[in-house]
Amino acid sequence: MQGIERLVFHMLQRDEGKKVETSSVFLKKVGVLILPIALQNLINVGISSIDVIMLGRVGEKVLSGASLGSQINFIMSLLLFGIMSGASVLIAQYWGKKNVEAIQKVFGMAMKIATCVGIFFLVMTMAIPEMLMRIFTNDAKVIAYGAEYLRIVCFSYVLIPITMTYLNTVRSMERVVVATVVYLSSMITNVVVNAFLIFGLAGLPVMGIRGAAIGTVVARVVEVLIVFIYDKTKNDVVPFHFSYLLMKDRELWGDFMRYSLPVMANELLWGAGVSSISAVVGHMGSAVVAANAVAQVVRQLAMVIAFGVSSAAAIMIGKVIGEGQRKLAEDYGKKFVILSILTGMLGAVVVLIARPIALAGLVLTPEAQKYLSFMMFIMSYFVIGQSINSTIVVGICRSGGDTRFGLFLDIFFMWGIAILGGMVSAFVLKLGVYVTYIVLLSDEVIKVPVCLWRYRSKKWLRDVTR
């Protein structure tokens, strides 16, 4: 570990002429943010993987049903993340200016939109669960299991926006520990409830996939309760009041929509792209679906620190831009790019270590194990590109209001190359699982040079506050 730290220090100190903050000071600031955020990401991966791990002990069809059913929540969460990212652009910069009233207004705007999104997804999922499942697979048993899962888990869709909006707001103001407590409590709740209901412990009925769905809903209720308690007892900066929902500011609303809409479109497009990849995979057989579900969980695990770097970049760079410290923001950008490379390499090591563990620990058919072994190898280089790209697009560019760049990237590279190419490979040329999977996951690698070019252009370095 000391060797890695010395390497980071050396790389960060190469350009003495532009250095405006010592590397040790920078790393201390980053560490305060990255460690709790990375822990939150790890806990969130645990929450999303609990159903996969436990249902993987029940059967392949059940696992596939829950995995594909969770794509609905995935799309909703990405749309919410787009709203939150747009809000964070303004909140972080206004936090640098210590303009609390503007933060309150943005807080209220984000909460209203996010809540409406949650209600829409709840109603849609309750009404047409089977139809939604048919988007991702044509296997009748998987559709039935997925619909059963969705009919219960959809009640969590009105709770998730409340928690996400609140925690995103306080995190943009450098309050990051509360989210760790919230998500850790949620994960523990989910594990306990799942164990009792999925497997029928302590004399309870064996509920299988329905038990997993109930566990998720209960965990989300716990999240909201902890947020409420924290807000009433600990939040002395911007405690939530319903009056925020009634605040009006035409100019600030225009700014919010200007920076949020491209991000919402970007995240929705990216989420739809990931779901399209799952749909392509879903039509190649349940063994491929089960293997991909496990591979995606491992990818999320490998990216926890990298996503922490990305979030820390958005908070720190946004704040100093709001403070008017342009040179310091530029210096932070350079250092975060270097950290993204190192954390991407670390993520690749995690994937390779997890590969034999996943193969030995889950109940999969020989065919699914063969696919999983290959997919994990592909993930080992995929996470390096994703680490670099997420730090530049989500962390650096969005912190300065450059929210359209990511939208261009996903339209051209994800949809125009990876997804279109994957569909052609799978359904036209019929090149098989291996070639198709490589094509479907190619975008994060070919995005890297374009992202580095955008970073070097400094077009992201803007103060968007009034």
Side-chain angles (χ1 to χ4, degrees):
M1 188 66 185
Q2 291 179 348
I4 294 176
E5 289 178 354
R6 285 196 295 270
L7 175 62
V8 174
F9 288 155
H10 173 72
M11 295 175 74
L12 295 180
Q13 292 176 349
R14 287 181 302 175
D15 193 347
E16 295 293 334
K18 290 186 179 180
K19 189 179 68 172
V20 295
E21 186 174 90
T22 64
S23 298
S24 59
V25 171
F26 170 77
L27 289 178
K28 286 178 181 177
K29 288 182 177 180
V30 168
V32 169
L33 293 174
I34 286 181
L35 291 178
I37 292 174
L39 182 57
Q40 292 162 29
N41 292 336
L42 180 61
I43 293 168
N44 281 331
V45 172
I47 293 172
S48 64
S49 63
I50 286 169
D51 291 351
V52 172
I53 294 171
M54 290 188 172
L55 292 176
R57 307 297 301 179
V58 177
E60 191 173 288
K61 297 284 187 180
V62 176
L63 168 61
S64 296
S67 174
L68 292 178
S70 67
Q71 291 298 311
I72 306 302
N73 177 62
F74 175 70
I75 294 173
M76 183 190 74
S77 295
L78 284 173
L79 185 56
L80 292 174
F81 182 72
I83 297 169
M84 299 308 109
S85 295
S88 293
V89 172
L90 296 169
I91 293 172
Q93 291 200 14
Y94 277 116
W95 178 241
K97 284 183 164 57
K98 301 302 180 186
N99 187 337
V100 175
E101 183 180 358
I103 293 173
Q104 292 172 345
K105 292 176 180 178
V106 176
F107 191 0
M109 293 172 191
M111 185 67 78
K112 282 188 291 189
I113 297 174
T115 303
C116 290
V117 169
I119 293 172
F120 170 77
F121 273 84
L122 166 65
V123 173
M124 181 181 65
T125 307
M126 287 183 68
I128 52 171
E130 288 88 0
M131 187 179 299
L132 294 174
M133 286 299 301
R134 289 191 185 96
I135 297 173
F136 305 108
T137 182
N138 52 9
D139 187 308
K141 286 189 176 180
V142 174
I143 291 172
Y145 280 126
E148 188 177 13
Y149 179 80
L150 286 173
R151 286 191 182 94
I152 298 172
V153 81
C154 66
F155 290 102
S156 68
Y157 296 168
V158 291
L159 304 175
I160 293 171
I162 297 171
T163 305
M164 281 188 67
T165 304
Y166 187 91
L167 295 180
N168 174 80
T169 299
V170 297
R171 186 167 71 176
S172 297
M173 297 184 293
E174 302 174 286
R175 270 62 175 177
V176 296
V177 176
V178 58
T180 305
V181 175
V182 169
Y183 291 129
L184 179 60
S185 302
S186 175
M187 184 181 71
I188 294 172
T189 302
N190 204 358
V191 169
V192 173
V193 176
N194 272 14
F196 278 90
L197 296 184
I198 292 176
F199 304 111
L201 302 182
L204 293 173
V206 177
M207 301 184 70
I209 198 168
R210 290 183 294 119
I214 293 171
T216 299
V217 174
V218 173
R220 298 306 185 186
V221 171
V222 169
E223 290 176 3
V224 172
L225 289 176
I226 296 174
V227 162
F228 179 80
I229 294 170
Y230 172 82
D231 185 70
K232 297 303 179 184
T233 61
K234 299 293 184 181
N235 189 349
D236 57 354
V237 183
V238 185
F240 179 77
H241 295 287
F242 284 101
S243 60
Y244 296 171
L245 303 176
L246 304 176
M247 290 177 125
K248 295 182 179 180
D249 188 317
R250 187 182 298 271
E251 289 185 339
L252 194 57
W253 173 258
D255 291 340
F256 178 80
M257 298 308 293
R258 183 179 303 113
Y259 299 114
S260 292
L261 284 177
V263 184
M264 282 190 276
N266 184 191
E267 294 299 331
L268 185 59
L269 192 67
W270 187 81
V274 172
S275 295
S276 296
I277 291 173
S278 296
V280 173
V281 170
H283 286 83
M284 300 180 77
S286 61
V288 186
V289 173
N292 184 57
V294 177
Q296 290 299 330
V297 169
V298 174
R299 177 191 62 80
Q300 293 173 32
L301 178 64
M303 286 295 296
V304 292
I305 298 179
F307 286 150
V309 170
S310 173
S311 298
I315 295 169
M316 289 178 60
I317 295 176
K319 181 183 177 184
V320 296
I321 290 176
E323 292 172 340
Q325 301 188 65
R326 181 183 177 90
K327 189 175 181 181
L328 183 57
E330 183 180 344
D331 182 66
Y332 279 175
K334 177 184 68 176
K335 294 174 179 178
F336 274 115
V337 169
I338 295 169
L339 285 180
S340 73
I341 297 171
L342 296 177
T343 53
M345 295 169 63
L346 178 62
V349 172
V350 170
V351 172
L352 294 175
I353 292 174
R355 188 182 181 202
I357 298 173
L359 290 171
L362 294 175
V363 180
L364 298 173
T365 63
E367 184 183 15
Q369 286 190 328
K370 181 178 65 174
Y371 290 140
L372 177 59
S373 178
F374 174 79
M375 290 175 178
M376 296 279 275
F377 175 74
I378 300 300
M379 284 296 178
S380 67
Y381 69 76
F382 178 87
V383 296
I384 298 176
Q386 189 174 33
S387 176
I388 298 169
N389 298 333
S390 64
T391 296
I392 293 176
V393 174
V394 180
I396 296 173
C397 290
R398 288 183 185 173
S399 67
D402 186 9
T403 58
R404 293 182 177 87
F405 175 60
L407 181 60
F408 158 76
L409 278 182
D410 286 335
I411 290 175
F412 186 80
F413 290 102
M414 186 179 200
W415 281 92
I417 296 178
I419 295 175
L420 179 60
M423 289 179 174
V424 171
S425 174
F427 306 127
V428 180
L429 301 179
K430 300 187 184 303
L431 297 178
V433 174
Y434 298 125
V435 173
T436 299
Y437 202 75
I438 291 174
V439 175
L440 287 171
L441 270 67
S442 65
D443 63 306
E444 291 292 355
V445 176
I446 58 181
K447 282 179 186 175
V448 172
V450 181
C451 285
L452 290 173
W453 166 80
R454 186 67 173 188
Y455 154 72
R456 291 172 63 86
S457 73
K458 300 179 185 177
K459 292 182 179 180
W460 51 271
L461 198 52
R462 296 180 296 155
D463 186 340
V464 300
T465 59
R466 294 183 181 275

